[in-house]
């Protein structure tokens, strides 16, 4: 059935953007690229927990500067700041960028900063995970120290 196409996608949860699973068939390059985009946009099994708790997950894409975050936030009761394979840009805080740092796209960084500021102003419930915790920390006046080496023991 899919032999004339370069990819095929099957959602397991109709109408919710597959928050609890999907199958993508295609070349390894296509699948690797899709996985990276999914992680950059915050998609992972976190949505399954929201569904299990009776919530409806809504994935908010990075928005343009002209779009005010309230356009989304007025419809939500809480927010999950998810992770991303990218890192915060240490240069925005006057710090050097170690070689191991993989910067998140500027568009997402700018959008997330505006969103986090607005979440705090509105005093909305926030669950921050990974990068989301770093973003929340920075928005509240903290900083993130870049680490370019790891040691065991």
């Amino acid at each position: 059935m899919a032999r004339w196409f370069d990819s095929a996608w099957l959602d397991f949860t109709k109408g919710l953007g597959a928050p609890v699973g999907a199958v993508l068939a295609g070349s390894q390059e296509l699948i690797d690229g899709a996985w990276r985009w999914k992680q950059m946009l915050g998609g992972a099994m976190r949505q399954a927990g929201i569904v299990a708790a009776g919530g409806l997950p809504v994935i908010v894409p990075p928005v343009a500067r002209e779009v005010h975050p309230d356009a989304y936030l007025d419809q939500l009761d809480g927010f999950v700041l998810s992770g991303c394979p990218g890192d915060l840009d240490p240069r925005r805080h006057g710090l050097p960028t170690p070689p191991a740092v993989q910067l998140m796209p500027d568009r997402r960084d700018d959008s997330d900063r505006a969103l986090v500021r607005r979440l705090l102003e509105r005093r909305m419930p926030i669950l921050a995970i990974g990068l989301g915790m770093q973003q929340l920390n920075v928005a509240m006046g903290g900083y993130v120290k870049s680490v370019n080496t790891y040691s065991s023991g």
Side-chain angles (χ1 to χ4, degrees), residues 27-97:
S27 69
Q28 188 64 50
E29 180 181 357
L30 178 108
I31 291 170
D32 291 346
W35 183 87
R36 178 142 175 83
W37 274 104
K38 180 185 87 161
Q39 296 301 316
M40 286 186 347
L41 296 174
M45 286 305 293
R46 294 174 194 96
Q47 293 91 337
I50 295 169
V51 170
L56 177 63
V58 177
I59 297 175
V60 178
V63 295
R65 289 185 182 107
E66 307 82 52
V67 177
H68 197 278
D70 285 344
Y72 292 103
L73 299 181
D74 288 343
Q75 302 170 49
L76 305 175
D77 296 316
F79 209 89
V80 177
L81 291 171
S82 63
C84 171
D87 298 307
L88 294 178
D89 189 344
R91 295 173 299 186
R92 289 185 175 210
H93 306 283
L95 300 171
T97 304

Side-chain angles (χ1 to χ4, degrees), residues 3-144:
R3 70 177 175 213
W4 295 287
F5 302 96
D6 64 355
S7 63
W9 177 270
L10 173 67
D11 287 344
F12 294 133
T13 308
K14 183 179 176 184
L16 296 178
V20 292
V23 173
L24 174 63
S27 69
Q28 188 64 50
E29 180 181 357
L30 178 108
I31 291 170
D32 291 346
W35 183 87
R36 178 142 175 83
W37 274 104
K38 180 185 87 161
Q39 296 301 316
M40 286 186 347
L41 296 174
M45 286 305 293
R46 294 174 194 96
Q47 293 91 337
I50 295 169
V51 170
L56 177 63
V58 177
I59 297 175
V60 178
V63 295
R65 289 185 182 107
E66 307 82 52
V67 177
H68 197 278
D70 285 344
Y72 292 103
L73 299 181
D74 288 343
Q75 302 170 49
L76 305 175
D77 296 316
F79 209 89
V80 177
L81 291 171
S82 63
C84 171
D87 298 307
L88 294 178
D89 189 344
R91 295 173 299 186
R92 289 185 175 210
H93 306 283
L95 300 171
T97 304
V101 170
Q102 291 185 317
L103 300 177
M104 66 190 295
D106 287 340
R107 180 174 176 224
R108 175 159 178 197
D109 195 6
D110 293 341
S111 177
D112 284 3
R113 286 172 187 271
L115 177 65
V116 172
R117 278 193 304 271
R118 192 64 188 130
L119 287 167
L120 291 170
E121 289 167 2
R122 292 175 65 128
R123 302 180 59 85
M124 286 186 75
I126 300 170
L127 170 61
I129 302 168
L131 176 70
M133 182 60 79
Q134 294 175 16
Q135 293 170 316
L136 184 59
N137 175 49
V138 168
M140 295 181 74
Y143 72 97
V144 177

